[in-house]
Amino acid sequence: EVRLVESGGGMVQPGGSLRLSCVASGFAFSNWDMSWVRQAPGKGPEWVSSIGFGGGSIYYADSVKGRFTISRDNAKNTLYLQMNSLKPEDTALYLCALGQGRVGGLPPNQYWGQGTQVTVSS
């Protein structure tokens, strides 16, 4: 039922930028908080950022604060993550998820997308 499709990943040099998109379907997108989660090879998932259903209540992990910006367009059922000043440590599979994920644990895996790969390397 729930479908989340991410796009926009790629390979960039340190200091570069990327904008990720997540197109949602199968649920009332505008009624739900949304989040971004990332997973690096050999590591567990890390919560990155979340946004309230109306575009408020925005939070970021300390590791990305000041560099990443989360936003959403409810008319397009789309969630975004603008990533600037990218670092090699940002290399990971980035997944869109239904729910805020900041407290109470990450959303169940069934509410994550398939992910888009971001690789930051010289």
mmCIF file of all heavy atoms in Angstrom, residues 41-75:
data_model
loop_
_atom_site.group_PDB
_atom_site.id
_atom_site.type_symbol
_atom_site.label_atom_id
_atom_site.label_comp_id
_atom_site.label_asym_id
_atom_site.label_seq_id
_atom_site.Cartn_x
_atom_site.Cartn_y
_atom_site.Cartn_z
ATOM 1 N N PRO A 41 27.458 1.454 4.685
ATOM 2 C CA PRO A 41 27.837 0.036 4.669
ATOM 3 C C PRO A 41 28.386 -0.403 6.023
ATOM 4 O O PRO A 41 29.235 0.272 6.603
ATOM 5 C CB PRO A 41 28.917 -0.030 3.585
ATOM 6 C CG PRO A 41 28.574 1.099 2.670
ATOM 7 C CD PRO A 41 28.108 2.197 3.589
ATOM 8 N N GLY A 42 27.885 -1.521 6.530
ATOM 9 C CA GLY A 42 28.364 -2.063 7.786
ATOM 10 C C GLY A 42 27.880 -1.349 9.030
ATOM 11 O O GLY A 42 28.304 -1.691 10.137
ATOM 12 N N LYS A 43 27.005 -0.372 8.871
ATOM 13 C CA LYS A 43 26.488 0.370 10.008
ATOM 14 C C LYS A 43 24.971 0.291 10.056
ATOM 15 O O LYS A 43 24.316 0.027 9.046
ATOM 16 C CB LYS A 43 26.922 1.833 9.946
ATOM 17 C CG LYS A 43 28.422 2.040 9.973
ATOM 18 C CD LYS A 43 28.787 3.517 10.021
ATOM 19 C CE LYS A 43 28.345 4.159 11.328
ATOM 20 N NZ LYS A 43 28.756 5.583 11.419
ATOM 21 N N GLY A 44 24.416 0.541 11.218
ATOM 22 C CA GLY A 44 22.981 0.540 11.367
ATOM 23 C C GLY A 44 22.376 1.824 10.826
ATOM 24 O O GLY A 44 23.089 2.777 10.521
ATOM 25 N N PRO A 45 21.057 1.864 10.699
ATOM 26 C CA PRO A 45 20.407 3.071 10.189
ATOM 27 C C PRO A 45 20.563 4.245 11.156
ATOM 28 O O PRO A 45 20.554 4.074 12.375
ATOM 29 C CB PRO A 45 18.943 2.649 10.046
ATOM 30 C CG PRO A 45 18.786 1.518 11.023
ATOM 31 C CD PRO A 45 20.092 0.792 10.996
ATOM 32 N N GLU A 46 20.706 5.428 10.597
ATOM 33 C CA GLU A 46 20.859 6.654 11.365
ATOM 34 C C GLU A 46 19.770 7.640 10.965
ATOM 35 O O GLU A 46 19.609 7.953 9.782
ATOM 36 C CB GLU A 46 22.230 7.277 11.097
ATOM 37 C CG GLU A 46 22.440 8.627 11.773
ATOM 38 C CD GLU A 46 23.703 9.347 11.311
ATOM 39 O OE1 GLU A 46 24.278 8.960 10.273
ATOM 40 O OE2 GLU A 46 24.120 10.297 12.002
ATOM 41 N N TRP A 47 19.029 8.129 11.932
ATOM 42 C CA TRP A 47 18.039 9.161 11.667
ATOM 43 C C TRP A 47 18.748 10.444 11.266
ATOM 44 O O TRP A 47 19.732 10.848 11.896
ATOM 45 C CB TRP A 47 17.184 9.388 12.923
ATOM 46 C CG TRP A 47 16.243 10.539 12.806
ATOM 47 C CD1 TRP A 47 15.003 10.544 12.245
ATOM 48 C CD2 TRP A 47 16.482 11.873 13.258
ATOM 49 N NE1 TRP A 47 14.451 11.805 12.326
ATOM 50 C CE2 TRP A 47 15.335 12.632 12.942
ATOM 51 C CE3 TRP A 47 17.541 12.507 13.910
ATOM 52 C CZ2 TRP A 47 15.229 13.988 13.245
ATOM 53 C CZ3 TRP A 47 17.432 13.853 14.217
ATOM 54 C CH2 TRP A 47 16.290 14.577 13.883
ATOM 55 N N VAL A 48 18.261 11.095 10.219
ATOM 56 C CA VAL A 48 18.901 12.291 9.681
ATOM 57 C C VAL A 48 18.091 13.550 9.948
ATOM 58 O O VAL A 48 18.621 14.554 10.421
ATOM 59 C CB VAL A 48 19.140 12.150 8.162
ATOM 60 C CG1 VAL A 48 19.676 13.451 7.564
ATOM 61 C CG2 VAL A 48 20.099 11.001 7.885
ATOM 62 N N SER A 49 16.791 13.505 9.634
ATOM 63 C CA SER A 49 15.956 14.693 9.742
ATOM 64 C C SER A 49 14.484 14.314 9.699
ATOM 65 O O SER A 49 14.124 13.267 9.170
ATOM 66 C CB SER A 49 16.276 15.653 8.586
ATOM 67 O OG SER A 49 15.551 16.863 8.690
ATOM 68 N N SER A 50 13.630 15.178 10.243
ATOM 69 C CA SER A 50 12.194 14.946 10.177
ATOM 70 C C SER A 50 11.460 16.264 9.999
ATOM 71 O O SER A 50 11.989 17.338 10.311
ATOM 72 C CB SER A 50 11.682 14.214 11.420
ATOM 73 O OG SER A 50 11.909 14.975 12.589
ATOM 74 N N ILE A 51 10.228 16.161 9.511
ATOM 75 C CA ILE A 51 9.399 17.330 9.262
ATOM 76 C C ILE A 51 7.949 16.983 9.575
ATOM 77 O O ILE A 51 7.483 15.884 9.272
ATOM 78 C CB ILE A 51 9.568 17.809 7.796
ATOM 79 C CG1 ILE A 51 8.822 19.122 7.550
ATOM 80 C CG2 ILE A 51 9.123 16.723 6.818
ATOM 81 C CD1 ILE A 51 9.200 19.773 6.214
ATOM 82 N N GLY A 52 7.240 17.903 10.197
ATOM 83 C CA GLY A 52 5.848 17.683 10.542
ATOM 84 C C GLY A 52 4.960 17.653 9.317
ATOM 85 O O GLY A 52 5.359 18.084 8.228
ATOM 86 N N PHE A 53 3.753 17.159 9.493
ATOM 87 C CA PHE A 53 2.856 16.979 8.352
ATOM 88 C C PHE A 53 2.537 18.273 7.607
ATOM 89 O O PHE A 53 2.276 18.254 6.397
ATOM 90 C CB PHE A 53 1.560 16.268 8.777
ATOM 91 C CG PHE A 53 0.746 17.000 9.808
ATOM 92 C CD1 PHE A 53 -0.141 17.997 9.438
ATOM 93 C CD2 PHE A 53 0.854 16.673 11.154
ATOM 94 C CE1 PHE A 53 -0.904 18.665 10.381
ATOM 95 C CE2 PHE A 53 0.093 17.331 12.113
ATOM 96 C CZ PHE A 53 -0.783 18.334 11.721
ATOM 97 N N GLY A 54 2.558 19.407 8.309
ATOM 98 C CA GLY A 54 2.268 20.692 7.680
ATOM 99 C C GLY A 54 3.505 21.472 7.262
ATOM 100 O O GLY A 54 3.382 22.600 6.785
ATOM 101 N N GLY A 55 4.680 20.894 7.460
ATOM 102 C CA GLY A 55 5.918 21.559 7.094
ATOM 103 C C GLY A 55 6.649 22.216 8.256
ATOM 104 O O GLY A 55 7.733 22.774 8.078
ATOM 105 N N GLY A 56 6.062 22.143 9.461
ATOM 106 C CA GLY A 56 6.729 22.663 10.640
ATOM 107 C C GLY A 56 7.440 21.547 11.386
ATOM 108 O O GLY A 56 7.704 20.488 10.823
ATOM 109 N N SER A 57 7.746 21.777 12.656
ATOM 110 C CA SER A 57 8.403 20.783 13.517
ATOM 111 C C SER A 57 9.573 20.125 12.804
ATOM 112 O O SER A 57 9.627 18.901 12.653
ATOM 113 C CB SER A 57 7.390 19.732 13.974
ATOM 114 O OG SER A 57 6.357 20.318 14.737
ATOM 115 N N ILE A 58 10.516 20.925 12.355
ATOM 116 C CA ILE A 58 11.686 20.439 11.629
ATOM 117 C C ILE A 58 12.846 20.208 12.595
ATOM 118 O O ILE A 58 13.158 21.063 13.424
ATOM 119 C CB ILE A 58 12.083 21.442 10.532
ATOM 120 C CG1 ILE A 58 11.029 21.434 9.422
ATOM 121 C CG2 ILE A 58 13.469 21.132 9.986
ATOM 122 C CD1 ILE A 58 11.230 22.502 8.369
ATOM 123 N N TYR A 59 13.479 19.042 12.463
ATOM 124 C CA TYR A 59 14.606 18.670 13.314
ATOM 125 C C TYR A 59 15.688 18.015 12.475
ATOM 126 O O TYR A 59 15.415 17.385 11.459
ATOM 127 C CB TYR A 59 14.156 17.697 14.409
ATOM 128 C CG TYR A 59 13.087 18.258 15.310
ATOM 129 C CD1 TYR A 59 11.741 18.003 15.069
ATOM 130 C CD2 TYR A 59 13.424 19.055 16.404
ATOM 131 C CE1 TYR A 59 10.756 18.529 15.887
ATOM 132 C CE2 TYR A 59 12.442 19.585 17.223
ATOM 133 C CZ TYR A 59 11.117 19.318 16.965
ATOM 134 O OH TYR A 59 10.140 19.839 17.775
ATOM 135 N N TYR A 60 16.948 18.158 12.937
ATOM 136 C CA TYR A 60 18.086 17.571 12.251
ATOM 137 C C TYR A 60 19.022 16.880 13.230
ATOM 138 O O TYR A 60 19.155 17.314 14.383
ATOM 139 C CB TYR A 60 18.912 18.641 11.534
ATOM 140 C CG TYR A 60 18.160 19.410 10.480
ATOM 141 C CD1 TYR A 60 17.594 20.648 10.765
ATOM 142 C CD2 TYR A 60 18.028 18.901 9.192
ATOM 143 C CE1 TYR A 60 16.901 21.362 9.795
ATOM 144 C CE2 TYR A 60 17.339 19.607 8.216
ATOM 145 C CZ TYR A 60 16.780 20.830 8.514
ATOM 146 O OH TYR A 60 16.096 21.535 7.547
ATOM 147 N N ALA A 61 19.683 15.842 12.756
ATOM 148 C CA ALA A 61 20.747 15.229 13.532
ATOM 149 C C ALA A 61 21.891 16.235 13.615
ATOM 150 O O ALA A 61 22.117 17.010 12.684
ATOM 151 C CB ALA A 61 21.224 13.949 12.854
ATOM 152 N N ASP A 62 22.625 16.222 14.723
ATOM 153 C CA ASP A 62 23.736 17.162 14.890
ATOM 154 C C ASP A 62 24.756 17.053 13.753
ATOM 155 O O ASP A 62 25.367 18.048 13.365
ATOM 156 C CB ASP A 62 24.439 16.922 16.223
ATOM 157 C CG ASP A 62 23.619 17.384 17.407
ATOM 158 O OD1 ASP A 62 22.658 18.157 17.230
ATOM 159 O OD2 ASP A 62 23.942 16.961 18.538
ATOM 160 N N SER A 63 24.929 15.864 13.220
ATOM 161 C CA SER A 63 25.921 15.629 12.181
ATOM 162 C C SER A 63 25.622 16.346 10.863
ATOM 163 O O SER A 63 26.525 16.544 10.050
ATOM 164 C CB SER A 63 26.079 14.128 11.919
ATOM 165 O OG SER A 63 24.838 13.549 11.546
ATOM 166 N N VAL A 64 24.364 16.734 10.639
ATOM 167 C CA VAL A 64 23.997 17.386 9.380
ATOM 168 C C VAL A 64 23.459 18.800 9.569
ATOM 169 O O VAL A 64 23.232 19.508 8.580
ATOM 170 C CB VAL A 64 22.970 16.554 8.581
ATOM 171 C CG1 VAL A 64 23.464 15.122 8.414
ATOM 172 C CG2 VAL A 64 21.597 16.576 9.240
ATOM 173 N N LYS A 65 23.263 19.212 10.792
ATOM 174 C CA LYS A 65 22.707 20.534 11.084
ATOM 175 C C LYS A 65 23.554 21.637 10.453
ATOM 176 O O LYS A 65 24.775 21.642 10.564
ATOM 177 C CB LYS A 65 22.616 20.725 12.598
ATOM 178 C CG LYS A 65 21.743 21.885 13.024
ATOM 179 C CD LYS A 65 21.588 21.910 14.544
ATOM 180 C CE LYS A 65 20.950 20.632 15.065
ATOM 181 N NZ LYS A 65 20.794 20.629 16.539
ATOM 182 N N GLY A 66 22.884 22.558 9.776
ATOM 183 C CA GLY A 66 23.574 23.657 9.118
ATOM 184 C C GLY A 66 23.974 23.359 7.692
ATOM 185 O O GLY A 66 24.354 24.277 6.955
ATOM 186 N N ARG A 67 23.897 22.093 7.291
ATOM 187 C CA ARG A 67 24.282 21.695 5.941
ATOM 188 C C ARG A 67 23.118 21.136 5.130
ATOM 189 O O ARG A 67 23.080 21.301 3.915
ATOM 190 C CB ARG A 67 25.403 20.648 5.989
ATOM 191 C CG ARG A 67 26.657 21.139 6.688
ATOM 192 C CD ARG A 67 27.793 20.136 6.557
ATOM 193 N NE ARG A 67 27.463 18.866 7.212
ATOM 194 C CZ ARG A 67 27.388 17.688 6.587
ATOM 195 N NH1 ARG A 67 27.630 17.609 5.285
ATOM 196 N NH2 ARG A 67 27.100 16.587 7.263
ATOM 197 N N PHE A 68 22.187 20.461 5.796
ATOM 198 C CA PHE A 68 21.041 19.842 5.129
ATOM 199 C C PHE A 68 19.768 20.622 5.428
ATOM 200 O O PHE A 68 19.617 21.202 6.509
ATOM 201 C CB PHE A 68 20.837 18.407 5.616
ATOM 202 C CG PHE A 68 21.885 17.411 5.187
ATOM 203 C CD1 PHE A 68 23.090 17.804 4.623
ATOM 204 C CD2 PHE A 68 21.644 16.055 5.365
ATOM 205 C CE1 PHE A 68 24.050 16.875 4.241
ATOM 206 C CE2 PHE A 68 22.590 15.113 4.985
ATOM 207 C CZ PHE A 68 23.794 15.518 4.425
ATOM 208 N N THR A 69 18.825 20.610 4.480
ATOM 209 C CA THR A 69 17.530 21.247 4.669
ATOM 210 C C THR A 69 16.428 20.305 4.206
ATOM 211 O O THR A 69 16.424 19.863 3.055
ATOM 212 C CB THR A 69 17.431 22.558 3.871
ATOM 213 O OG1 THR A 69 18.476 23.454 4.272
ATOM 214 C CG2 THR A 69 16.082 23.225 4.125
ATOM 215 N N ILE A 70 15.499 19.992 5.102
ATOM 216 C CA ILE A 70 14.368 19.141 4.754
ATOM 217 C C ILE A 70 13.177 20.031 4.402
ATOM 218 O O ILE A 70 12.996 21.105 4.982
ATOM 219 C CB ILE A 70 14.028 18.180 5.919
ATOM 220 C CG1 ILE A 70 13.026 17.108 5.481
ATOM 221 C CG2 ILE A 70 13.498 18.958 7.126
ATOM 222 C CD1 ILE A 70 12.827 16.006 6.523
ATOM 223 N N SER A 71 12.366 19.595 3.445
ATOM 224 C CA SER A 71 11.172 20.336 3.075
ATOM 225 C C SER A 71 10.179 19.368 2.453
ATOM 226 O O SER A 71 10.514 18.213 2.175
ATOM 227 C CB SER A 71 11.500 21.479 2.105
ATOM 228 O OG SER A 71 12.041 20.985 0.891
ATOM 229 N N ARG A 72 8.954 19.832 2.231
ATOM 230 C CA ARG A 72 7.952 18.979 1.603
ATOM 231 C C ARG A 72 6.989 19.820 0.799
ATOM 232 O O ARG A 72 6.779 21.008 1.087
ATOM 233 C CB ARG A 72 7.195 18.155 2.651
ATOM 234 C CG ARG A 72 6.344 18.971 3.613
ATOM 235 C CD ARG A 72 5.867 18.127 4.789
ATOM 236 N NE ARG A 72 4.956 17.080 4.382
ATOM 237 C CZ ARG A 72 4.625 16.024 5.126
ATOM 238 N NH1 ARG A 72 5.167 15.884 6.338
ATOM 239 N NH2 ARG A 72 3.775 15.112 4.664
ATOM 240 N N ASP A 73 6.401 19.207 -0.218
ATOM 241 C CA ASP A 73 5.377 19.835 -1.033
ATOM 242 C C ASP A 73 4.190 18.885 -1.003
ATOM 243 O O ASP A 73 4.157 17.893 -1.733
ATOM 244 C CB ASP A 73 5.872 20.057 -2.463
ATOM 245 C CG ASP A 73 4.879 20.836 -3.304
ATOM 246 O OD1 ASP A 73 3.677 20.867 -2.967
ATOM 247 O OD2 ASP A 73 5.298 21.426 -4.327
ATOM 248 N N ASN A 74 3.228 19.179 -0.136
ATOM 249 C CA ASN A 74 2.088 18.282 0.023
ATOM 250 C C ASN A 74 1.219 18.182 -1.231
ATOM 251 O O ASN A 74 0.580 17.158 -1.458
ATOM 252 C CB ASN A 74 1.240 18.716 1.227
ATOM 253 C CG ASN A 74 1.902 18.364 2.542
ATOM 254 O OD1 ASN A 74 2.856 17.591 2.593
ATOM 255 N ND2 ASN A 74 1.402 18.946 3.629
ATOM 256 N N ALA A 75 1.191 19.229 -2.038
ATOM 257 C CA ALA A 75 0.414 19.192 -3.277
ATOM 258 C C ALA A 75 0.998 18.192 -4.265
ATOM 259 O O ALA A 75 0.290 17.690 -5.137
ATOM 260 C CB ALA A 75 0.346 20.577 -3.907
#
